[in-house]
């Protein structure tokens, strides 16, 4: 006898809450499980380049969420470096004809378009506030959102026997999220310090922090990273 077709009403929750309010509620859950930090971490600082960090120069593409973002990132990077743990800085740029931007570079073609960030341009330069130690830190230019995609990052982390990634930078909804998903997919404990990431709109920022917190990463206050290093030093 034929069974009747299955049919269900929508189960998606609909609430009149902002993305910031939803994030605060998820974050406040005392039963929220954590991945935690393992035994050796790496700091992955994503796209602290002038195209995204300098609203005085590039107001259409840059974003500032926490004014102390770079200060916090410099501090935890210095702590990692002092502990002999890897610090990585990425940025994005393309060759003169933008032929390496792929389909990502086809939707618009304005001076502010992604594919018009050229190698060695002002937009490509790291923000001068970033404290990068070029003698030990890994720096490289990527083409796509994830810091893992077609880069040396995966092999670098294996060589350094890292088990945890602390991801900073921007944007929260773009390259940070893409890198966090790839980090988890590669088997790393993944940590996102809230004060160290930024986006253009609070809706994108907090919606993606919520999704990261629920699925892919521990979203924590940067003080937790400071405390972890302080605990190792005892």
């Amino acid at each position: 006898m034929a069974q009747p077709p299955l049919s269900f009403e929508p189960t998606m929750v609909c609430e009149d809450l902002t993305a910031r309010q939803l994030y605060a509620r998820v974050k406040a859950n005392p039963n929220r499980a954590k991945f935690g930090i393992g035994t050796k971490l790496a700091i992955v600082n994503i796209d602290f380049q002038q195209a995204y960090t300098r609203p005085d120069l590039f107001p259409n593409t840059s974003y500032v969420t926490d004014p102390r973002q770079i200060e916090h990132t410099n501090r935890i990077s210095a702590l990692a470096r002092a502990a002999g743990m890897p610090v990585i800085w990425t940025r994005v740029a393309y060759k003169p004809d933008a032929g390496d931007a792929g389909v990502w570079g086809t939707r618009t073609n304005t001076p502010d378009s992604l594919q018009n960030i050229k190698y060695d341009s002002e937009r490509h330069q790291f923000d001068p506030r970033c404290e990068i130690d070029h003698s030990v830190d890994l720096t490289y230019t990527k083409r796509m959102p994830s810091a893992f995609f077609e880069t040396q990052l995966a092999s670098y982390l294996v060589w350094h026997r890292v088990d945890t990634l602390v991801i900073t930078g921007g944007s929260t909804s773009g390259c940070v999220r893409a890198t966090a998903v790839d980090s988890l997919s590669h088997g790393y404990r993944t940590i996102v310090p809230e004060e160290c990431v930024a986006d253009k709109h609070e809706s994108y920022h907090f919606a993606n922090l919520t999704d990261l917190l629920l699925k892919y990463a521990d979203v924590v206050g940067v003080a937790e990273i400071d405390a972890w290093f302080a605990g190792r030093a005892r």
Side-chain angles (χ1 to χ4, degrees), residues 82-152:
M85 298 183 187
V87 177
I88 297 102
W89 303 82
T90 79
R91 49 184 170 168
V92 64
Y94 301 96
K95 64 194 186 79
D97 69 355
D100 51 345
V103 71
W104 207 15
T106 62
R107 293 200 300 177
T108 63
N109 190 19
T110 72
D112 292 316
S113 294
L114 178 83
Q115 72 272 22
N116 289 322
I117 301 175
K118 305 303 184 185
Y119 282 94
D120 301 321
S121 67
E122 262 198 307
R123 295 172 189 268
H124 182 224
Q125 297 303 313
F126 285 116
D127 190 298
R129 294 169 293 174
C130 294
E131 296 171 359
I132 304 172
D133 185 342
H134 290 280
S135 68
V136 292
D137 295 357
L138 174 66
T139 64
Y140 62 87
T141 296
K142 61 185 179 66
R143 298 184 306 108
M144 294 295 160
S146 174
F148 283 93
F149 186 78
E150 294 183 347
T151 74
Q152 63 268 59

Side-chain angles (χ1 to χ4, degrees), residues 19-70:
R20 184 192 288 259
Q21 289 169 329
L22 286 168
Y23 172 66
R25 185 172 72 184
V26 171
K27 185 179 176 183
N29 178 5
N31 299 316
R32 178 173 46 85
K34 286 188 173 184
F35 296 115
I37 301 176
T39 59
K40 186 175 183 180
L41 60 75
I43 309 285
V44 182
N45 301 318
I46 298 175
D47 299 357
F48 281 97
Q49 62 193 95
Q50 294 191 139
Y52 303 128
T53 62
R54 295 288 301 274
D56 57 327
L57 299 176
F58 305 108
N60 293 328
T61 57
S62 60
Y63 35 79
V64 177
T65 299
D66 188 319
R68 298 179 64 195
Q69 178 193 15
I70 294 178

